[in-house]
Amino acid sequence: MKINFILITLFCQFQLFAQQKPIGITFKASANSFPLAANGKAATIISDVQDEEVVSIAVDALKSDIRQVTGAEITNEKYAVIVGTLGKSKIIDELVRLKKIQISNIQHQWETFSISLVSSPMKGIDQALVIFGSDPRGTAFGVFELSKMIGVSPFVWWADVTPEHRDELYVTGNKSITGPPSVKYRGIFINDEDWGLHPWAAKHMDTTIKDIGPRTYQKVFELMLRLKANYLWPAMHPCTKAFWYYPENPVLARKYDIILGASHCEPLLRNNIFEWDHNFKNEYGITAGEWRYDKNKEQIDKYWNDRVLQSRNNPAVYTVGMRGIHDGSMPGPGSKEEKKTLLEQVIADQRRMLSDGLGKSAGEIPQIFCPYKEVLDLYRLNMRLPDDITLAWADDNFGYMRQLSNPQEQKRSGGSGVYYHLSYWGAPQDYLWLSTISPTLISYELTKAYELNARRLWVFNVGDIKPAEMELQFAMDFAWDIHKWTPEQASHYPEYWAENTFGKEFAKPIGDIKKEYYHLAAAGKPEHLDKIQYTSEEIEKRLADYQSLVAKSQAISKLIPARLTDAYFELIGYPVEAACSMNEKVLGKSNEAFKNIQILTEKYNKEIANGKWDGMMDDAPRRLKIFQTPETITTPEMIQQSVIITPAVNYIHKSKELKSIEGLGIESSGLTVWPMKIYTDTPYVEYKMLFHKGDNKITVRCLPDFPLYPGMKLRYAISIDHATPVFIDIATVAESKPWSVNILRGYAAGESAYTSDVSGEKTVRIYFPDPGLVVSDIVQW
């Protein structure tokens, strides 16, 4: 009897699931569809004024979005969109009491929302579309999800993606539940803003203060909500005053329910380069002493503690630790061991401040410790770090995770997270101009991180936000649901994004353009071309491929609807044509290409969107030599030898554990062990290759990555003509000379020599003994 009852229950649950159809949007009425906008009337939107302010902000945006799509002004009071948060909206709580909505999969979750159709929810309303969240941000995300469904891009304002007009909008299905997100804290770091966001904001947004201020951040916060982002490291360069200097900024963050943080070199939400170096006397009436905790502890403690007290009303994740005033090492004792001890004291004192100031135990307060650059060396000296602090691992600034949590660190209650660069100022050369980190690389590196428990916090350095729009959108989509855009699927994201941005007709060709754009940049970013050695054949092919890409892009630009021409130039035309011109200028020594970059940039700043982005695009950030005329640029000498290149995916046999991942590495696809783990029988791939009599050199080109964590290796093994395999370690140390060469050219290389008695075909076998190895191709010299 008990078994029968269980079977009946399971059958009923299955039937309920089968009947549940996800919410969707159509543009014609159908049976049981809900008229969001029809006959010139839009459904009325109802929310509780007592709900959090972020909900009202989202509701106002939705009203504007519906009006922008349909033009509907008059409300239809028989149909309503009801919006609210569980426990904060009396309307939603009443619907729960009446059993009109189910909350079992929503309640007590993080940022989770439901969108459902409900008949006769209250007196006078025939049907309602109910959007409710587990918390206020979840509710806001649900509202903006509906905006996206009706055709409003998250970049409707930031990239001028004007939505297509629709006379009518109907909601179909009955229920969708979304969340909780894969990563708890998902956010952006506005950085190196000197040549883009700051001059633009001063000219167009916060014109009174001539700075990045509340008017700019209001647009940033709305974009974040539309992208389901919740966490911010504010702009912090010397050109920008501290976020907290303008009282409206934290107030605005509170309204938009944005969680505040600060970068790896800004403890406890303080912006040292402005607040310690330039504004300390204005704030405290005395001159700041030395930035040394072992000599000036009292003054530094007060400085930190005051910000903790000031931040009590704002949700925040506090960066703990200490570095230099700006992005440099912590001043203090001479030895690393003494510095480590001092850093342990700093963190212990900071946690006392947090606990006392916020009235909670330190373990209840979200904190991160970022072992970035020289701090990583101190951490590796067995530094004591409280278990609840989240380890925020940094990439090598060029998209490759330099270290992740070992098995012991994976057990930390605070877990770990990732600080990842989509833009960077620093050695061996910046990439502040164009955004070229591919979705596939992001997915591969951060899936590795996620699998090793980096699930608490992901923050992306997005520079000026523009021109990293698509990369940022992918990063946030991926952080929300890491299962949707796995490394095997990530190469399809550009097409998915293009369809949602430019329409189904243009999805495939624009997606292909973006994929090729990333592929070409993987073997040399436009900003790095003067540091890379190519063969003459590679240069010839590279220039031809870029010219073909531009031709395809320009052909599509003529077909794009007028409402999207500005968006197309910002998102596709400018980066594609500018990257091509940079290659032609540097590798082809073309003065015409140099002038074309200036023409394109002038168009970006002065012509598109009626000059809206004037000041945003600088085609020579930091005035590096690479941006000068072709006569002034010296490139490495070309390699004259002829080579034979075999892409890794052109095998005759491979182990089943090896997967081809499109868009990973310098070839069209990379070969790697996936899922990533250590196998008892080492996976291998086999090729047939022609060798000439005498000495042969074989180079295996791999993704310039790192071992997963200390104690691991990153090797391949090669066997030629069934000889004993030879192991070759391709790992380098970040910031070393070999690393610099690798990340600029897009690959790490291992070399082997083979002497053949005769010319002819031989079997070459490549083994994959270590997880994380990605092979792009094999080159014979």
Side-chain angles (χ1 to χ4, degrees), residues 402-415:
R402 69 175 82 195
Q403 180 175 326
L404 293 164
S405 296
N406 64 30
Q408 192 60 38
E409 290 163 335
Q410 290 169 39
K411 298 174 185 175
R412 293 175 59 84
S413 62

Side-chain angles (χ1 to χ4, degrees), residues 323-477:
R323 293 188 71 208
I325 290 177
H326 193 34
D327 188 0
S329 61
M330 177 183 69
S335 75
K336 285 187 177 181
E337 191 64 41
E338 289 174 306
K339 278 194 173 184
K340 180 203 77 169
T341 302
L342 181 60
L343 190 56
E344 290 172 342
Q345 181 192 343
V346 165
I347 292 172
D349 291 347
Q350 289 172 336
R351 284 168 66 81
R352 278 194 292 273
M353 292 177 211
L354 287 169
S355 181
D356 294 345
L358 302 180
K360 301 177 184 177
S361 68
E364 296 176 89
I365 301 165
Q367 299 152 65
I368 62 168
F369 173 73
C370 194
Y372 183 64
K373 292 189 175 180
E374 80 291 334
V375 181
L376 181 58
D377 293 335
L378 302 183
Y379 175 75
R380 284 173 173 170
L381 295 173
N382 294 317
M383 178 184 153
R384 294 194 310 272
L385 189 72
D387 196 63
D388 58 87
I389 295 176
T390 300
L391 281 168
W393 299 113
D395 69 337
D396 66 346
N397 308 313
F398 290 81
Y400 305 98
M401 295 306 303
R402 69 175 82 195
Q403 180 175 326
L404 293 164
S405 296
N406 64 30
Q408 192 60 38
E409 290 163 335
Q410 290 169 39
K411 298 174 185 175
R412 293 175 59 84
S413 62
S416 65
V418 170
Y419 167 41
Y420 195 87
H421 288 78
L422 300 176
S423 171
Y424 182 63
W425 170 355
Q429 190 135 301
D430 315 346
Y431 57 104
L432 300 173
W433 178 38
L434 300 178
S435 184
T436 49
I437 304 283
S438 74
T440 304
L441 181 60
I442 297 169
S443 175
Y444 180 75
E445 291 298 311
L446 296 190
T447 297
K448 287 193 308 187
Y450 192 86
E451 290 300 315
L452 298 183
N453 205 31
R455 305 179 178 190
R456 182 64 62 88
L457 175 147
W458 288 2
V459 60
F460 294 85
N461 186 322
V462 296
D464 299 305
I465 297 177
K466 300 176 74 67
E469 296 98 335
M470 196 199 90
E471 296 77 12
L472 168 56
Q473 191 166 347
F474 174 78
M476 291 301 108
D477 285 352

Side-chain angles (χ1 to χ4, degrees), residues 43-90:
T44 189
I45 302 180
I46 299 171
S47 61
D48 189 336
V49 293
Q50 299 303 313
D51 209 332
E52 296 294 332
E53 195 159 357
V54 68
V55 175
S56 299
I57 288 169
V59 164
D60 288 344
L62 177 62
K63 290 176 182 176
S64 175
D65 290 347
I66 293 172
R67 188 163 54 247
Q68 188 175 8
V69 171
T70 66
E73 294 282 354
I74 306 168
T75 56
N76 184 345
E77 295 184 356
K78 287 188 175 182
Y79 297 92
V81 178
I82 299 174
V83 178
T85 307
L86 281 176
K88 293 181 178 290
S89 165
K90 290 180 181 177

Side-chain angles (χ1 to χ4, degrees), residues 49-220:
V49 293
Q50 299 303 313
D51 209 332
E52 296 294 332
E53 195 159 357
V54 68
V55 175
S56 299
I57 288 169
V59 164
D60 288 344
L62 177 62
K63 290 176 182 176
S64 175
D65 290 347
I66 293 172
R67 188 163 54 247
Q68 188 175 8
V69 171
T70 66
E73 294 282 354
I74 306 168
T75 56
N76 184 345
E77 295 184 356
K78 287 188 175 182
Y79 297 92
V81 178
I82 299 174
V83 178
T85 307
L86 281 176
K88 293 181 178 290
S89 165
K90 290 180 181 177
I91 306 168
I92 294 297
D93 290 349
E94 179 63 10
L95 292 178
V96 174
R97 189 187 70 80
L98 295 171
K99 297 185 178 178
K100 294 286 186 179
I101 55 176
Q102 299 297 316
I103 65 171
S104 58
N105 293 323
I106 308 295
Q107 196 173 29
H108 308 309
Q109 296 293 331
W110 176 264
E111 296 178 346
T112 299
F113 60 87
S114 169
I115 306 177
S116 59
L117 284 175
V118 176
S119 299
S120 305
M122 58 181 67
K123 188 177 179 180
I125 296 177
D126 294 346
Q127 192 181 26
L129 180 67
V130 180
I131 304 174
F132 71 97
S134 59
D135 49 37
R137 257 193 316 276
T139 304
F141 291 159
V143 172
F144 283 118
E145 183 71 9
L146 180 61
S147 284
K148 197 157 59 172
M149 290 168 68
I150 68 173
V152 179
S153 165
F155 285 92
V156 59
W157 189 87
W158 274 94
D160 306 298
V161 186
T162 305
E164 183 176 357
H165 174 80
R166 303 289 186 178
D167 290 331
E168 299 187 333
L169 297 170
Y170 294 91
V171 179
T172 61
N174 49 30
K175 187 176 184 180
S176 293
I177 295 174
T178 305
S182 298
V183 178
K184 186 171 186 177
Y185 301 109
R186 311 165 307 283
I188 63 172
F189 177 22
I190 297 172
N191 195 216
D192 308 320
E193 65 274 13
D194 312 51
W195 299 275
L197 194 66
H198 183 271
W200 169 80
K203 183 180 272 191
H204 296 281
M205 302 300 291
D206 294 284
T207 54
T208 304
I209 58 175
K210 305 289 184 191
D211 201 356
I212 299 174
R215 289 196 65 197
T216 307
Y217 277 115
Q218 185 172 12
K219 291 296 185 184
V220 171

